[in-house]
Amino acid sequence: AKLSATGAAPSSDNISIITEEEPTNAVILGHNETLPVILSELPENVTEVCIYEQYMNDNERAELQKVASDRNITLKFSDIDLSTDNEALYEAAKTSKHIIVLNDHDKDPDEADTEVIFMLLNLRDIRQRTGLKFNITVEMQKERNQNLVGFGDTTDFLVTSNMSSLILAQLAENPELIDVFRELLSNKGSELYLKNAMAMNVKGTYTVRELRRIMLTNGYVLLGMTAGGNYSYFVNSLDEEIKITEDSGLILIGES
């Protein structure tokens, strides 16, 4: 949808939103006590997960199988060490759209973060050399170690332990926000999404006010944008004009 000659935003009748996402799978590298929660909170369209972990015992696997069964997820296990087998890492990357690298909480934080950093760099190298399309989520224990790897592109997500501390501190000062965090951080209800502008059928030049109205009409709250896959920013001024291209992404809150 584009702006008309008069500059008016398109009506919601002209907007065709894709709400059903194709079934996909995920690869999880590593294991710690958060894995059952991560498995239960994966996106609804994830139907198959392969966990690469050498040292998981039978009780831990049984617990994860139960979580997967409750989510109708097909769960597979592999004891291949992907940190030393680049060919196996490439084969795993070819089969997945989502790769999650967990931090070993039983090791020294800097040592565990170093292992995660090497895995992240290997995955980025595979993605760049082969043209594969997958996003990477990595867990790091120390925020300062993020600076060693940069932020990658908009498909890389770095999670640090201090995020939990910040959320708990905010809840301690504002307990009424607990329902907001529960809504945003659980797999049910509204969540943060990065949507391609073309998939939302918006292209052209809009003011922030016009774009927000279109997104609200279709059940989303517009927070910000990504430009060219290189950086993201929040939109504040309602009168600011935004040019949307094929590379533009929309940062949204919504239920699908």
Side-chain angles (χ1 to χ4, degrees), residues 189-231:
S190 296
E191 298 171 312
L192 285 170
Y193 290 94
L194 177 59
K195 299 278 190 177
N196 181 271
M198 296 298 98
M200 304 293 287
N201 281 347
V202 287
K203 183 179 180 181
T205 301
Y206 304 87
T207 65
V208 172
R209 179 181 287 104
E210 291 167 341
L211 197 55
R212 281 185 173 175
R213 181 178 64 80
I214 295 170
M215 293 302 106
L216 281 172
T217 302
N218 291 278
Y220 295 98
V221 175
L222 175 68
L223 295 183
M225 304 281 298
T226 64
N230 295 319
Y231 63 93

Side-chain angles (χ1 to χ4, degrees), residues 109-136:
D110 283 317
E111 179 185 355
D113 280 358
T114 298
E115 292 180 357
V116 168
I117 288 171
F118 277 117
M119 181 60 70
L120 173 60
L121 295 178
N122 280 339
L123 288 168
R124 284 179 177 173
D125 179 62
I126 289 173
R127 188 170 59 188
Q128 181 178 8
R129 287 188 293 105
T130 65
L132 291 174
K133 302 293 184 181
F134 56 85
N135 61 51
I136 311 167

Side-chain angles (χ1 to χ4, degrees), residues 24-29 50 52 80 82 85-101 119-136:
T24 187
N25 52 9
V27 165
I28 300 178
L29 311 182
C50 185
Y52 288 83
I80 297 175
L82 297 185
D85 192 333
N86 285 335
E87 184 61 31
L89 181 61
Y90 169 66
E91 292 298 322
K94 285 199 305 183
T95 67
S96 178
K97 295 296 184 183
H98 309 279
I99 299 179
I100 302 166
V101 184
M119 181 60 70
L120 173 60
L121 295 178
N122 280 339
L123 288 168
R124 284 179 177 173
D125 179 62
I126 289 173
R127 188 170 59 188
Q128 181 178 8
R129 287 188 293 105
T130 65
L132 291 174
K133 302 293 184 181
F134 56 85
N135 61 51
I136 311 167

Side-chain angles (χ1 to χ4, degrees), residues 24-27 45-50 72-76 95:
T24 187
N25 52 9
V27 165
N45 66 320
V46 174
T47 58
E48 182 177 305
V49 175
C50 185
N72 293 320
I73 291 174
T74 300
L75 189 60
K76 299 178 180 179
T95 67

